DNA sequence: TATTGTTATACTCTATAACTATA
DNA sequence: TATAGTTATAGAGTATAACAATA
């Protein structure tokens, strides 16, 4: 019945819930945007064997800022044990290396290898394309506005 | 050493990673914003025994739009089995009821009970306060801009 | 034959506490 | 005594497939 009746299709489509007050809550919209975005992002990276979470870690390791594991955790909002797992993964793939911090031998600085830098460049390229698709309903100006607004609330 | 040297504190603070290119990617900022937002949201609801995911379901049940479980899944991007678990939880707490759709007895319409409506009102009030805190770095105009931009990309 | 809700199951993600080595 | 990283483990969240009732 539902499939044979086009009116029912329209009535039953999820768009009708746009009028629910939930759809006006910024937190809900943010959650939806990130769910769609990270799905698209993971899809863009699947051929490289990476997920967005792993990419974020690799990206900081490739930044030249020489993050320690603790700093990665603080910035990515992950606890130390999750960082260990992420760095283990990237290290086994030869994308990053652990270097002992000479100023504090308890700390380990995570640095991208040559291979890591290459994979990171390719991953960044693919992610920016995916980001463009996710934001295709926005003009360039709007994308810039969005970035600035998010920067003000993300940190 | 780190704690006794204020300079090291500043150098080592996570703010220094704001200059990493990762911090300019909208997807990353969106993920961070929602992580902070849903943490604050869950915190705001903890006294009501709800999480934001459960609130979303309750909110649609309270909207008067008479969603079926399938529609809830489509709109909230959750698969049917997750909806079952969510509705089970809310039903056991007496906040929603399952009603058989007279037009298709396979479907079940989820409707908030009186108690569900009350809890929903209180939860909404608390969430809006939490949202205000999350967005305290934005002016009212900026919050409205953000809502409109997110609406364009969230669906 | 297809769809809705359900159940079972496994997989990932996240959170916590205990351990080691360094400070 | 405190901190960085590690390990182990359990809990929450998510994804998949098979099933019964209905279309």
């Amino acid at each position: 019945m539902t499939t044979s009746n086009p009116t029912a299709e329209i009535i039953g489509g999820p768009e009708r819930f746009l009028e629910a007050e939930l759809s006006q809550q910024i937190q809900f919209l943010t959650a939806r945007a990130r769910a769609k975005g990270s799905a698209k992002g993971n899809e863009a990276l699947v051929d490289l064997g990476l997920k967005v979470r792993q990419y974020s870690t690799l990206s900081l390791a490739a930044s030249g800022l020489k993050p320690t594991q603790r700093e990665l955790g603080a910035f990515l909002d992950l606890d130390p044990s999750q960082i260990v797992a992420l760095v283990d993964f990237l290290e086994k793939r030869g994308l990053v290396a652990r270097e002992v911090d000479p100023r504090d031998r308890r700390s380990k600085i995570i640095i991208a290898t040559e291979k890591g830098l290459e994979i990171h460049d390719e991953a960044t390229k693919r992610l920016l394309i995916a980001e463009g698709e996710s934001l295709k309903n926005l003009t360039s100006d709007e994308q810039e506005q969005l970035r600035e607004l998010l920067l003000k609330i993300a940190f």
Side-chain angles (χ1 to χ4, degrees), chain A:
Chain A
M1 183 69 87
T2 304
T3 52
S4 60
N5 179 350
T7 305
E9 276 287 333
I10 293 165
I11 293 174
E15 309 79 26
R16 75 193 186 92
F17 297 107
L18 283 171
E19 62 181 89
E21 67 177 328
L22 181 65
S23 302
Q24 295 303 316
Q25 292 181 14
I26 290 178
Q27 306 291 16
F28 174 72
L29 295 171
T30 304
R32 258 198 83 99
R34 97 92 207 193
K36 283 188 66 173
S38 71
K40 255 205 184 312
N42 284 328
E43 200 181 317
L45 296 182
V46 71
D47 288 347
L48 298 176
L50 288 176
K51 300 191 173 182
V52 290
R53 172 68 50 84
Q54 296 156 349
Y55 167 83
S56 297
T57 308
L58 175 59
S59 189
L60 293 173
S63 69
L65 296 172
K66 303 198 173 192
T68 65
Q69 292 192 189
R70 170 147 290 266
E71 288 176 317
L72 289 174
F75 192 67
L76 298 175
D77 253 329
L78 300 172
D79 67 67
S81 66
Q82 290 175 280
I83 298 295
V84 169
L86 280 166
V87 173
D88 280 352
F89 173 86
L90 295 171
E91 192 181 42
K92 272 170 195 152
R93 292 215 19 210
L95 304 181
V96 304
R98 285 175 161 98
E99 296 187 2
V100 173
D101 185 342
R103 296 171 305 178
D104 182 343
R105 289 186 306 171
R106 292 173 304 180
S107 296
K108 292 178 186 169
I109 294 171
I110 309 306
I111 299 188
T113 62
E114 270 305 314
K115 185 179 171 194
L117 291 173
E118 289 170 21
I119 297 284
H120 175 253
D121 282 354
E122 179 60 28
T124 301
K125 206 185 305 174
R126 297 185 187 204
L127 277 181
L128 290 179
I129 292 173
E131 184 166 292
E133 285 172 21
S134 294
L135 305 178
K136 65 176 185 293
N137 287 335
L138 302 184
T139 66
S140 298
D141 278 358
E142 286 174 326
Q143 292 186 22
E144 203 44 50
Q145 274 176 42
L146 179 59
R147 188 198 323 280
E148 284 164 22
L149 292 170
L150 289 172
L151 261 169
K152 288 187 184 176
I153 65 174
F155 294 100

